[in-house]
Amino acid sequence: MALETAVTETAIEQNIEQFLLVLSVSLSVATLSRVFSWFRRIPFTLLLVIFGLVLAFIDVRLVSLSPELILEIFLPPLLFEAAWNLNWRDLKRDLVPVGFFAIIGVIISVVGIAYGLNFFTGIPLAIAFLVGASLSATDPISVVALLKELGASKRLRTLMEGESLFNDGVAVVAFTLLVGIPLGTVDKFSISDSLFTFLSFVGIGIGVGCLVGFGISYLTQRFDLPLVEQSLTLVSAYGTYIIVEKLGGSGVIGVVTVGLILGNFGSRIGMNPRTRLIVSEFWEFVAFFVNSIVFLLIGDQIQYSTLADNIVLIAVVIGAVLVTRAISVYSLSALSNLVVKSNIGLKEQTLLWWGGLRGSVSIALVLSVPVVLPGRDQITAVVFGVVLFTLLVQGLTTQSMLKVLGLIGDQPLRQEYMETTARRVALKRVLNYVSELVRLQEIDPEYYRYQAEFLQKELKQLQEKIDKMQAEHSQLVALDMKLLREELVDIEAETYAEFIRAGKLKSNISPLLAEVFEEKEEQES
C-alpha cells in the first residue's frame, strides 16, 4: 500500500513538473512574440508551432497530447472566449452564409476528402471518411488575430469566426457518427438515423447552453461582484461542456451557445461596464494562455519519420482539402448571395478559402481514434501533416494574401484617432480637476492660470487634429457615433441592474436604446 502511494505521488510530481515545463516554455515563446518587433511579424500561435517543431526535431517531447486534454480542458475556454467576443448583431446579419459554411461546408469537406483519398490512394472508404471528418473543422485563430491587427473588415472576421465556432460542433458530431463504421460497431450508414442523431446532439447542446446562459445572466443582475461574475463565466464554460456531454449532446455547441448569450446578453444586463471589461480581459488572457500551450504541443507532437513515410498520402489529402474548401466557399457564397443577398465579394471568398486552417480540433479528433483500428498511425500522420501545412504555409502567407487582395483595413488610422480622442478626454478631465481645486482654494490662482493656458493650448491642437482627421476620413465620424451609442447602452443597462440589486425591480428590462440603435444601423446599412 505504501509502495503504491509512493508510485502515485511520484507520477503526480512528474506530471506537475511536465506541466510547469510546458507552461514556462510556451509562455516564454508567446511573450517573445509580443516583445520583439521581428517576431511580431509572425502570429504568436504559428511561432509556437515552429518552436514546437524545433523541439520535436531534437527529440525533446514535453508531454503527451491526448484528445481528452484538448477536448475537455483546452477546447471549452477557447470556444467560450471566441463566442463571448462575437457580436450577435454582426453574426445575425451573416447567419445564413455561416450556417451554409458550418453545415453544408463540413459535409462537402468530409465527402470530398474521403472520396478523393479513396480514389487516388485506394484507402478503404470507411477509413477515408474518418480522415475527412477529422479535417473538416476550420481553426482560423491565427488568421483572425492577423485580420484584427491589420484592420481587415469586421464582417470578414465574423464570417471566419462564426463558421469556425459552429463547424467545430458539426465536425465532432460527424466524426462520432462515422467512427463506428470501420470498427464494425455500426452495420451501415443511415441518413435518417444520422440526421436524428445530429439534431439530438445539436438540440441538447443549444438547450443546455440557453438554460445556463440565461440563468447566469439573470443571476449576475442580483449583485455586483466582479470576481464572482468572472468565476461564473469560467464555471459556465466548463460546466456546460461537461453537462451536455453527459446528456449525449454536443458540448462544443453548448459552450458556443452559452458564450454567445453571456457575451451579448448577460454581460449587458447583469454586468456594469467595469465588470464587463474585467471579464473580457480575463478571457483574453485565458485564450492567450491556452493557445500558447496547445500550439506548442501540436508542433512538439510531430514525428518526422512518420510524416516522411506518408508524404504521398499527405500531399493527396492537402490537395483534397484545398479543392473541397474552394468548392464549399465559392459555391456556398454564391448560393448565399443569391438567396439572401449576402454580397460576399470574390476577394473575401478567396481569403475565406485560404484562411481555412486546421488545428486543435482536428488533432483531438484523430487522436481519439481507437488504438485497435488498423492503420490508425497512418491516419494520425496524415492529419498531423495536413494541419502542419495549413498552419505554416497558409497561416504564414495570409498577410501577403491580404495585401494582394487589398483587404487590409484602416486599423492604424482608427488607432491613431482613438489615441488622440483619449488624450483630449484626459486633458479635459485634468482641466476640470484643476478648476475645482481653484474653486476650493487649494492651489494658487496664478499657478492655475499657467496650467490652464497650457492645457487649453494642447486641447486646441488636439481638437484641430481630430477635426482634420474627420474631414479627411468620414468613417471616423461613424466611429465616434458608435462609441457614444455603446456608452449610452452601458449607462441604461447599469441603471436597470442597480434597480434590480436594490430590490426595486423583480424582473429584467431589456435595454431600449440597444434595440433602437440596432434598428437604426440596420436601416442605414
Side-chain angles (χ1 to χ4, degrees):
M1 190 68 178
L3 180 61
E4 291 180 0
T5 303
V7 171
T8 303
E9 290 177 352
T10 302
I12 293 174
E13 183 179 350
Q14 289 177 345
N15 289 333
I16 292 175
E17 289 176 354
Q18 279 189 320
F19 174 75
L20 292 176
L21 176 62
V22 172
L23 186 60
S24 301
V25 172
S26 59
L27 291 181
S28 298
V29 176
T31 303
L32 283 175
S33 71
R34 301 299 177 94
V35 173
F36 296 103
S37 58
W38 188 87
F39 286 118
R40 284 201 295 269
R41 300 175 186 176
I42 305 174
F44 86 96
T45 50
L46 301 185
L47 189 64
L48 285 161
V49 174
I50 295 171
F51 193 82
L53 288 171
V54 173
L55 293 178
F57 182 76
I58 60 178
D59 202 27
V60 175
R61 305 296 173 178
L62 296 174
V63 69
S64 177
L65 191 62
S66 67
E68 293 79 12
L69 196 66
I70 296 178
L71 287 177
E72 296 181 8
I73 299 177
F74 294 150
L75 197 56
L78 290 177
L79 293 170
F80 185 92
E81 188 271 341
W84 169 276
N85 289 305
L86 190 60
N87 188 289
W88 170 249
R89 185 175 64 249
D90 296 332
L91 179 62
K92 186 172 67 174
R93 290 175 180 171
D94 284 313
L95 203 54
V96 171
V98 165
F100 283 168
F101 295 147
I103 299 175
I104 303 176
V106 166
I107 295 173
I108 292 174
S109 294
V110 173
V111 174
I113 293 171
Y115 278 100
L117 187 58
N118 173 259
F119 179 80
F120 286 104
T121 66
I123 285 181
L125 206 53
I127 301 295
F129 267 109
L130 278 187
V131 176
S134 299
L135 292 169
S136 60
T138 57
D139 187 18
I141 293 173
S142 304
V143 174
V144 170
L146 190 62
L147 294 179
K148 187 176 182 180
E149 181 182 340
L150 295 176
S153 71
K154 189 175 182 181
R155 188 193 184 202
L156 190 55
R157 302 201 305 267
T158 300
L159 286 169
M160 297 193 79
E161 279 193 303
E163 177 196 4
S164 174
L165 282 173
F166 291 106
N167 72 11
D168 284 350
V170 177
V172 171
V173 173
F175 182 87
T176 304
L177 294 173
L178 293 169
V179 73
I181 297 176
L183 292 172
T185 57
V186 177
D187 295 332
K188 61 179 181 178
F189 183 78
S190 170
I191 294 179
S192 59
D193 291 344
S194 299
L195 182 61
F196 175 77
T197 304
F198 173 77
L199 293 176
S200 299
F201 277 20
V202 174
I204 293 172
I206 293 176
V208 174
C210 287
L211 286 174
V212 175
F214 286 116
I216 291 180
S217 297
Y218 290 118
L219 179 63
T220 53
Q221 283 188 307
R222 267 57 187 179
F223 48 79
D224 182 19
L225 300 169
L227 291 179
V228 174
E229 294 173 76
Q230 179 177 287
S231 301
L232 283 173
T233 60
L234 186 62
V235 170
S236 69
Y238 282 107
T240 301
Y241 185 89
I242 294 171
I243 292 170
V244 173
E245 288 291 320
K246 292 296 183 182
L247 293 176
S250 169
V252 172
I253 296 295
V255 174
V256 170
T257 302
V258 77
L260 282 171
I261 291 172
L262 290 177
N264 291 274
F265 177 73
S267 65
R268 300 289 177 181
I269 70 165
M271 299 180 185
N272 63 44
R274 179 178 59 88
T275 301
R276 189 164 68 246
L277 179 61
I278 291 172
V279 176
S280 296
E281 289 177 345
F282 165 75
W283 279 105
E284 184 179 357
F285 168 74
V286 170
F288 173 76
F289 177 85
V290 173
N291 277 320
S292 299
I293 296 174
V294 170
F295 282 90
L296 175 69
L297 292 181
I298 286 176
D300 186 54
Q301 297 299 304
I302 297 297
Q303 300 285 347
Y304 286 97
S305 59
T306 309
L307 291 182
D309 293 340
N310 294 279
I311 192 67
V312 174
L313 281 177
I314 292 171
V316 170
V317 177
I318 288 173
V321 167
L322 292 175
V323 171
T324 54
R325 178 68 180 169
I327 292 172
S328 64
V329 168
Y330 289 112
S331 62
L332 295 176
S333 295
L335 179 62
S336 180
N337 290 343
L338 180 65
V339 174
V340 294
K341 310 297 181 188
S342 298
N343 296 321
I344 303 174
L346 189 61
K347 292 181 178 180
E348 287 77 12
Q349 294 175 35
T350 302
L351 191 68
L352 287 170
W353 162 64
W354 191 248
L357 312 184
R358 271 60 174 179
S360 55
V361 175
S362 296
I363 297 296
L365 289 177
V366 75
L367 289 176
S368 67
V369 173
V371 179
V372 296
L373 184 70
R376 180 185 184 275
D377 292 341
Q378 190 177 51
I379 297 172
T380 305
V382 169
V383 172
F384 265 94
V386 174
V387 169
L388 199 60
F389 172 85
T390 63
L391 289 176
L392 296 183
V393 177
Q394 292 177 246
L396 291 175
T397 56
T398 299
Q399 185 169 351
S400 300
M401 180 76 75
L402 279 166
K403 292 179 179 178
V404 170
L405 296 174
L407 293 175
I408 294 180
D410 57 358
Q411 186 65 19
L413 172 66
R414 287 174 174 261
Q415 184 61 35
E416 182 185 1
Y417 181 75
M418 290 305 301
E419 288 176 0
T420 307
T421 302
R423 287 184 182 277
R424 182 188 62 179
V425 173
L427 291 184
K428 279 185 176 180
R429 291 179 180 177
V430 171
L431 183 60
N432 291 336
Y433 177 71
V434 175
S435 300
E436 181 65 16
L437 291 179
V438 170
R439 189 183 68 81
L440 297 173
Q441 298 181 346
E442 294 186 11
I443 63 171
D444 180 56
E446 187 61 32
Y447 177 76
Y448 162 72
R449 202 161 28 249
Y450 168 76
Q451 292 295 335
E453 288 177 2
F454 168 75
L455 290 170
Q456 287 168 352
K457 180 181 177 182
E458 292 294 322
L459 283 169
K460 182 180 178 182
Q461 291 177 353
L462 289 171
Q463 188 60 54
E464 288 174 353
K465 183 178 180 180
I466 289 172
D467 293 340
K468 182 180 179 182
M469 294 178 75
Q470 288 181 345
E472 294 176 354
H473 308 281
S474 58
Q475 71 269 31
L476 296 178
V477 179
L479 178 61
D480 264 350
M481 293 301 298
K482 181 181 179 182
L483 293 172
L484 177 60
R485 288 174 178 178
E486 290 178 354
E487 187 175 355
L488 295 177
V489 172
D490 286 342
I491 293 172
E492 184 193 7
E494 174 57 17
T495 303
Y496 296 149
E498 287 178 2
F499 271 73
I500 290 175
R501 285 192 289 268
K504 297 177 181 179
L505 277 178
K506 298 301 182 183
S507 59
N508 170 60
I509 300 177
S510 60
L512 174 64
L513 291 178
E515 298 174 4
V516 173
F517 292 152
E518 183 176 344
E519 291 177 2
K520 186 175 179 61
E521 287 184 8
E522 289 177 353
Q523 291 172 0
E524 291 174 352
S525 60

